[in-house]
């Protein structure tokens, strides 16, 4: 390696990526060759794809006159069809990037008195890839070294356009993201929202798809877009698999000392993640197994806050939460292919998540001379999820012509117990509550895909029934602060039938994708009649949700696109759950059964530029939302307790731009850099928080301009070793009734392959400079709350995996 190469390698050290983007796919081309006059099929006809008089690929038709050519890259070609006794047929052929299958339909040959010499060409084969769509970014996690061994939430925080705030993913500053697992909603991540991502091991995941402008084929919820998490599954012939083990430590030192008189913060928190993936395929059967176990201790929250009230009262507090989590997942199933046209898959998914939280919340006066209260809690929560799936696929004789049908049943149990010790100057009380929630979801879907000469048609139906009975019991102690009359039972019921149609067209200059989804939604929320505030409620709507994209190809390397879609965000069951949550007794969270869906219209303009070793994508967008869902905090007159309750805040507008740049500098250094700039505006509105007593509050217009910058890269070293670096800066942003401060973090990882790349050893560190902390300022009716959270962000991990 000469000096010049070494200099280039180190010059690129600051441009190190984290994830690899899916490449341009190969396309399968099919059709039928017929006798012109008689319309009868012609077997053994030569079909060739030519470029500049050179053969690209070819085949011959079968006994039914059908032909299939696989592995054709995108480009402009000439289709050449020849057969003895017939005139040679030629036509221009465009192979684009939108559809993995193209159907050329029937090709009719004219008889010729001239006998032509037959030429036979055998077709090459290659594996189909993913579509390269401007509205979909696909990232594989195989190359994620700096976040290996962590959770899916941690792995995604460095992706372009993605940020993490309060444990939730945001796309372009918006947390209304629909999270799918293997293309379907799942109780682990929530139906319509997002939960549990911080506990799903990244080791179980193959790739992540980010879809900012989903087509009508996707469900209509999630105005910010869709994130689809694809689990690993190997279908190679024979027996194969992968085993791995990761361990690590976090919170190696105390970032801010506790207030006096409470238990210690978790330090040197251990992490352990063994994983096993197995697959066996022989003839018509394929069986698979994926198992992961994650054990982690975490300083989950360590927030210091000051509450200042208009009457001069000042309260200083700390919320310290030590968390221990075990998360076990098993996914298994069988694929059966009885013949070339039909396949069946039966699969099961089981998950057990156990969370133990030990928390201390001391409250002091303004100058910290008097402790007014100490609230200690122990949470014992267990969640179970079981999913049974059956899918069927029929492949018609034409490649890519498919009928898919599936049924999924999901059961999710949330068994939560809280035990409280309320230490006051004059007494000590003990309190408790128990929450049991069972979620039942039945989904049926059928989808039809028909390739066309210049695109494809898609259509489908879906039906969902969802029921969530919930029961809350309070066990008050001496002078209990618990509102026992706010407990009891409640049942959430949701019925959604839907249908969609979608059309995709591609020519030399144009791309069109246009679809319409029709949804009817009926939600009933039944509340026990003894509840002291809320009554039974619900809503229904029947709405169209169009999704359109037009693209103009300036040339093969430049493309302009315009998107429009309409989407909905329905309240999650926990958003309307009527029971107050007491893990922080002076800043309570309560649901709101009068909450209604928000509807969003999005317009986006995109531009993509490609060159030999890189690409750039830029976009401008605006989102206009009615009945914006946001959490509003109010205080009851004469009381210092704060009640956080979701409300519909009226109209809001989000306008912004995004830029993603990928570049390979040389064989040793490559990087991707992304930047986003957006402006969020919420119009002035007035709401009434009904719990515990009606409290009306007028919120002035809020607006902020914010953004983020991310830099990821890869640096290849000698000896099959790779160094990776990721840096993220998030500018100050708007939150409900306030602002969140700027945040910055840096991750670093190194990996070495062993045993001809079958083995992989890695070492990484997240937030290596320990700079990430959350600063917030919230203003309500008669109070201001300023806080900084010094929760655990720095973790060092080491791991090894082996493929066999």
């Amino acid at each position: 390696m000469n000096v010049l190469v070494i200099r280039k390698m180190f010059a690129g050290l600051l441009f190190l990526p984290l994830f690899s983007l899916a490449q341009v796919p190969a396309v399968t081309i099919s059709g039928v060759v017929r006798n012109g006059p008689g319309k009868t099929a012609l077997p053994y006809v030569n079909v060739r794809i030519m470029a500049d008089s050179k053969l690209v690929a070819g085949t011959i038709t079968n006994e039914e006159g059908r032909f299939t050519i696989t592995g054709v890259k995108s480009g402009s070609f000439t289709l050449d069809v020849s057969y003895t006794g017939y005139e040679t047929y030629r036509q221009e052929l465009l192979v684009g990037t939108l559809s993995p299958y193209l159907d050329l339909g029937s090709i009719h040959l004219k008889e010729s008195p001239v006998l032509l010499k037959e030429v036979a060409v055998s077709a090459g084969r290659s594996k189909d890839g993913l579509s390269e769509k401007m509205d979909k970014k696909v990232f594989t996690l195989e190359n994620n070294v700096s976040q290996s061994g962590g959770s899916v939430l941690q792995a995604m925080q460095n992706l372009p356009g993605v940020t993490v705030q309060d444990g939730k993913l945001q796309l372009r500053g918006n947390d209304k993201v629909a999270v799918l697992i293997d293309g379907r909603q799942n109780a682990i991540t929530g139906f319509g929202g997002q939960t549990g991502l911080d506990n799903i091991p990244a080791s179980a995941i193959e790739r992540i798809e980010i879809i900012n402008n989903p087509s009508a084929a996707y469900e209509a919820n999630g105005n910010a877009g869709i994130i689809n998490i694809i689990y690993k599954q190997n279908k190679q012939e024979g027996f194969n698999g992968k085993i791995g083990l990761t361990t690590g430590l976090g919170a190696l030192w105390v970032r801010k000392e506790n207030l006096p008189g409470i238990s210690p913060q978790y330090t040197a928190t251990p992490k352990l993640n063994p994983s096993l993936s197995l697959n066996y395929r022989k003839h018509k059967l394929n069986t698979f197994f994926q198992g992961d176990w994650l054990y982690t201790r975490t300083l989950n929250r360590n927030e210091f806050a000051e509450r200042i009230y208009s009457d001069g009262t000042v309260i200083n507090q700390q919320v310290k939460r030590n968390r221990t989590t075990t998360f076990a997942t098993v996914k298994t199933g069988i694929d059966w292919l009885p013949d070339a046209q039909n396949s069946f898959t039966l699969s099961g998914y089981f998950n057990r998540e156990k969370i133990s939280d030990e928390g201390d919340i001391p409250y002091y006066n303004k100058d910290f001379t008097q402790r007014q209260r100490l609230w200690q809690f122990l949470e014992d929560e267990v969640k179970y999820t079981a999913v049974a799936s059956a899918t069927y696929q029929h492949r018609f004789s034409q490649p890519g012509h498919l009928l898919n049908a599936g049924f999924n049943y999901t059961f999710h149990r949330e068994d939560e117990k809280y035990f409280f010790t309320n230490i006051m100057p004059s007494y000590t009380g003990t309190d408790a509550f128990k929450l049991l929630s069972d979620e039942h979801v039945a989904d049926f879907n059928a989808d039809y895909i028909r390739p066309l000469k210049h695109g494809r048609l898609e259509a489908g139906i879906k039906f969902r029934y969802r029921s969530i009975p919930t029961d809350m019991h309070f066990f008050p102690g001496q002078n209990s602060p618990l509102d026992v009359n706010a407990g009891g039972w409640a049942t959430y019921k949701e019925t959604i039938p839907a249908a969609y149609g979608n059309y995709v067209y591609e020519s030399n200059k144009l791309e069109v994708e246009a679809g319409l989804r029709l949804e009817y939604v009926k939600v009933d929320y039944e509340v026990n009649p003894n509840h002291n505030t809320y009554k039974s409620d619900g809503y229904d709507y029947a709405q169209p949700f169009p999704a359109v994209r037009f693209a103009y190809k300036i040339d093969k390397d430049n493309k302009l696109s315009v998107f429009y879609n309409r989407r909905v965000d329905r309240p999650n069951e926990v958003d309307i759950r009527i029971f107050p949550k007491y893990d922080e007794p002076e800043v309570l969270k309560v649901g709101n059964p009068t909450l209604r869906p928000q509807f969003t219209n999005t317009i986006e303009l995109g531009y993509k530029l490609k060159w030999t070793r890189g690409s750039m994508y830029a976009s401008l967008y605006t989102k206009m939302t009615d009945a914006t869902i946001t959490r509003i905090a109010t205080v009851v007159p004469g009381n210092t307790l704060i009640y956080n309750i979701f409300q519909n805040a009226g109209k809001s507008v989000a306008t912004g731009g995004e830029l993603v740049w990928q570049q390979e500098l040389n064989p040793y250094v490559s990087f991707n850099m992304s930047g986003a700039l957006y402006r969020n505006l919420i119009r002035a509105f007035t709401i009434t928080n009904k719990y515990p007593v009606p409290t009306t509050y007028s919120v002035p217009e809020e607006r902020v301009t914010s953004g983020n910058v991310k830099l990821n890269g890869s640096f290849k070293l000698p000896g099959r070793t790779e160094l990776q670096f990721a840096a993220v800066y998030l500018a100050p942003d708007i939150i409900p009734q306030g602002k969140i401060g700027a945040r910055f973090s840096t991750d670093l990882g190194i990996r070495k392959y062993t045993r001809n790349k079958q083995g992989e050893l890695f070492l990484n560190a997240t937030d290596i400079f320990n700079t990430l902390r959350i600063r917030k300022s919230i203003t309500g009716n008669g109070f201001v709350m300023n806080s900084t959270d010094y929760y655990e962000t720095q973790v060092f991990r080491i791991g090894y995996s082996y493929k066999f």
Side-chain angles (χ1 to χ4, degrees), residues 2 4 39 83 278 382 405 561 627 646 652 673 791:
N2 59 40
L4 180 60
K39 306 292 180 67
Y83 191 53
L278 300 174
V382 182
S561 285
F646 276 108
S652 64
M673 185 162 54
Y791 69 108

Coordinates of all heavy atoms in Angstrom, one line a residue, residues 2 4 39 83 278 382 405 561 627 646 652 673 791:
N2 N 0.8 2.1 -1.0 CA 1.7 3.2 -1.1 C 1.3 4.4 -0.2 O 0.2 4.4 0.4 CB 1.9 3.7 -2.6 CG 0.5 4.1 -3.2 OD1 -0.3 4.7 -2.5 ND2 0.3 3.8 -4.4
L4 N 0.4 7.4 -0.9 CA -0.7 8.2 -1.4 C -2.0 7.5 -1.0 O -3.0 8.2 -0.5 CB -0.7 8.3 -2.9 CG -1.8 9.1 -3.6 CD1 -1.8 10.5 -3.0 CD2 -1.7 9.1 -5.1
K39 N -53.0 -17.3 -33.9 CA -53.0 -17.0 -32.4 C -52.6 -18.2 -31.6 O -52.8 -18.2 -30.4 CB -54.3 -16.5 -31.9 CG -54.9 -15.2 -32.7 CD -54.0 -14.0 -32.4 CE -54.5 -12.8 -33.2 NZ -55.8 -12.3 -32.7
Y83 N -37.7 -16.9 -35.4 CA -38.2 -18.3 -35.5 C -38.2 -18.7 -36.9 O -38.6 -17.9 -37.8 CB -39.6 -18.4 -34.9 CG -40.1 -19.8 -34.6 CD1 -39.4 -20.7 -33.9 CD2 -41.3 -20.2 -35.2 CE1 -39.8 -22.0 -33.7 CE2 -41.8 -21.5 -34.9 CZ -41.0 -22.4 -34.2 OH -41.5 -23.7 -34.0
L278 N -31.3 -20.6 12.8 CA -31.2 -21.9 12.1 C -32.1 -22.0 10.9 O -33.2 -21.4 11.0 CB -31.5 -23.0 13.1 CG -30.6 -23.1 14.3 CD1 -31.1 -24.2 15.3 CD2 -29.2 -23.4 14.0
V382 N -44.7 -7.6 33.1 CA -44.4 -8.7 32.2 C -45.4 -8.5 31.0 O -46.6 -8.3 31.2 CB -44.6 -10.1 32.9 CG1 -44.3 -11.2 31.9 CG2 -43.8 -10.2 34.1
A405 N -52.5 -14.5 0.0 CA -53.5 -14.4 1.0 C -52.9 -14.8 2.4 O -52.0 -15.7 2.4 CB -54.7 -15.3 0.7
S561 N -39.2 14.0 -9.0 CA -40.4 13.3 -8.6 C -41.3 14.3 -7.8 O -40.8 15.2 -7.1 CB -40.2 12.1 -7.7 OG -39.7 11.0 -8.5
A627 N -56.8 18.5 13.2 CA -57.1 17.8 14.5 C -55.8 17.2 15.0 O -55.7 16.1 15.5 CB -58.1 16.7 14.3
F646 N -53.6 13.9 26.3 CA -53.6 14.1 24.9 C -54.9 14.8 24.5 O -56.0 14.6 25.0 CB -53.6 12.7 24.1 CG -52.2 12.2 24.0 CD1 -51.7 11.1 24.7 CD2 -51.3 12.8 23.1 CE1 -50.4 10.6 24.5 CE2 -50.0 12.3 22.9 CZ -49.6 11.2 23.6
S652 N -52.0 22.2 12.1 CA -50.6 22.4 12.2 C -50.0 22.2 10.8 O -50.6 21.5 9.9 CB -49.9 21.4 13.2 OG -50.1 20.0 12.7
M673 N -23.8 11.2 4.2 CA -24.1 12.3 5.0 C -25.5 12.8 4.7 O -25.9 12.8 3.6 CB -23.1 13.5 4.8 CG -23.3 14.7 5.7 SD -21.8 15.8 5.8 CE -21.6 16.1 4.0
Y791 N -29.7 10.5 31.4 CA -29.9 9.1 31.4 C -28.7 8.4 30.7 O -27.9 9.0 30.1 CB -31.2 8.7 30.6 CG -31.2 9.0 29.2 CD1 -31.2 8.0 28.2 CD2 -31.3 10.3 28.7 CE1 -31.2 8.3 26.9 CE2 -31.3 10.6 27.3 CZ -31.2 9.6 26.4 OH -31.2 9.8 25.1

